[in-house]
Amino acid sequence: MSKWETYKDNFDHAQVGEYEVIDLLAVAGAREVRDGETVFAGTGLPMLSVTLAQRTGAGHASIIYEAGSIDGRPESLPSSVGDARCEQQASVVSGLADVFGQLERGRIDLAFLGGAEIDRYGNVNTTVAGDYLNPDRRLAGSGGNPDINAFAGRTIFTMVQEKRRFKEKVDYITSPGWRLPDWQDGGRVKSRQEIFGDAFRGGPQVVITNMAVFRFDDQSGEMYLDTVHPGYTVEDIQQLVGWDLDVSRVAGETEPPSYHELYLLYEEIDPEGLFL
């Protein structure tokens, strides 16, 4: 019997040192998934989060993978969104154009994305570091990031907590946040709702890092610190953010994984260790 088997029916919280950072990230992401939602998930950590959610509090959530599978229930964790295992027990197997069509029709409730830089209003950069025409370096590029962030009802970003990533102003807006320049109106900064008009469906809701969880104020659209992961302090987080972060409503520590959640992750979801 593996050590994980002893955790199967233990719903107590694990202690610091008994879990890895990626375990906490996967669990924090899973807790954001609501039952019955349609979730757009990418390779890696999002797969862990949504699959864990399906086995805990969101059994009726459906996963859409970018390569074209909808509501698959694979017996083993796919290695990427293009893995044929994504199609196992799927409701629909089509292609990229179809799943992005679902997105643009407003049928995606939640999406998981990453980013290289983010600012206080949730504008995300995955395009370039430095000036666009004379860059310090090119980044991975937009991919589906702006489309997914624009049309999903809610977006969760997972990032590394570094001051160079949490900036007062991102070098380039790949994916719009809650306040951004309207270039059809001379670059005047407006709210996302005002710019998007009838196409507005939602926006960034949560940022999960290796140190904390952040959320956005409903009125101002500004990011605030929600919870701090065990082992860190509010001051630790503030030092790694490039603006005067709102820490007035910190709810305490991020809830650690339970032993049962660790069992699910390591014994049932990713026993091959593809991402854990």
Side-chain angles (χ1 to χ4, degrees):
M1 176 185 294
S2 72
K3 72 172 184 177
W4 306 113
E5 286 288 345
T6 64
Y7 290 171
K8 183 175 182 179
D9 299 314
N10 187 341
F11 292 86
D12 293 336
H13 290 138
Q15 302 300 309
V16 174
E18 294 181 316
Y19 58 86
E20 303 294 335
V21 172
I22 194 170
D23 305 337
L24 180 56
L25 295 178
V27 169
R31 291 169 182 160
E32 299 296 328
V33 181
R34 301 167 187 167
D35 198 20
E37 286 193 313
T38 301
V39 185
F40 206 112
T43 297
L45 183 59
M47 289 180 166
L48 296 174
S49 290
V50 184
T51 307
L52 178 61
Q54 289 178 324
R55 300 187 186 213
T56 50
H60 297 96
S62 300
I63 307 176
I64 287 186
Y65 289 130
E66 188 170 344
S69 65
I70 299 176
D71 195 26
R73 301 279 173 154
E75 293 180 6
S76 59
L77 192 69
S79 60
S80 75
V81 295
D83 190 325
R85 284 176 287 187
C86 295
E87 302 173 0
Q88 190 172 15
Q89 303 184 68
S91 300
V92 177
V93 177
S94 55
L96 184 146
D98 182 33
V99 296
F100 273 86
Q102 304 300 321
L103 178 73
E104 291 160 6
R105 293 184 183 97
R107 294 176 179 171
I108 307 302
D109 301 300
L110 176 65
F112 284 83
L113 292 171
E117 295 178 347
I118 192 168
D119 69 18
R120 66 196 305 159
Y121 294 110
N123 296 301
V124 168
N125 175 23
T126 63
T127 301
V128 64
D131 180 71
Y132 182 79
L133 297 177
N134 187 27
D136 297 328
R137 64 185 182 280
R138 294 285 180 187
L139 304 176
S142 62
N145 205 301
D147 306 75
I148 297 166
N149 179 52
F151 291 113
R154 293 162 34 242
T155 305
I156 296 172
F157 284 96
T158 53
M159 298 181 62
V160 176
Q161 188 77 54
E162 295 178 338
K163 196 165 187 176
R164 68 189 179 114
R165 296 178 183 272
F166 282 70
K167 303 180 68 171
E168 175 75 29
K169 182 179 179 181
V170 294
D171 291 345
Y172 183 92
I173 297 178
T174 309
S175 298
W178 290 108
R179 290 188 63 79
L180 66 156
D182 182 354
W183 297 113
Q184 295 185 6
D185 190 15
R188 188 163 66 92
V189 175
K190 299 180 181 179
S191 71
R192 181 187 183 97
Q193 296 95 319
E194 187 177 359
I195 294 175
F196 277 44
D198 292 341
F200 173 76
R201 298 199 180 98
Q205 293 291 306
V206 183
V207 181
I208 303 173
T209 76
N210 53 309
M211 296 175 67
V213 176
F214 304 83
R215 299 184 189 275
F216 294 88
D217 183 80
D218 291 338
Q219 300 302 316
S220 68
E222 185 169 345
M223 188 187 302
Y224 66 89
L225 182 60
D226 182 32
T227 62
V228 178
H229 295 344
Y232 297 104
T233 66
V234 172
E235 291 72 26
D236 291 335
I237 309 305
Q238 178 66 79
Q239 290 176 6
L240 296 176
V241 173
W243 67 86
D244 186 15
L245 178 67
D246 179 1
V247 298
S248 64
R249 40 185 145 176
V250 177
E253 281 194 340
T254 310
E255 188 176 293
S258 70
Y259 292 110
H260 177 68
E261 288 168 326
L262 292 172
Y263 160 79
L264 292 174
L265 284 170
Y266 282 90
E267 195 70 20
E268 293 190 2
I269 296 172
D270 191 15
E272 298 174 1
L274 291 176
F275 303 114
L276 292 173

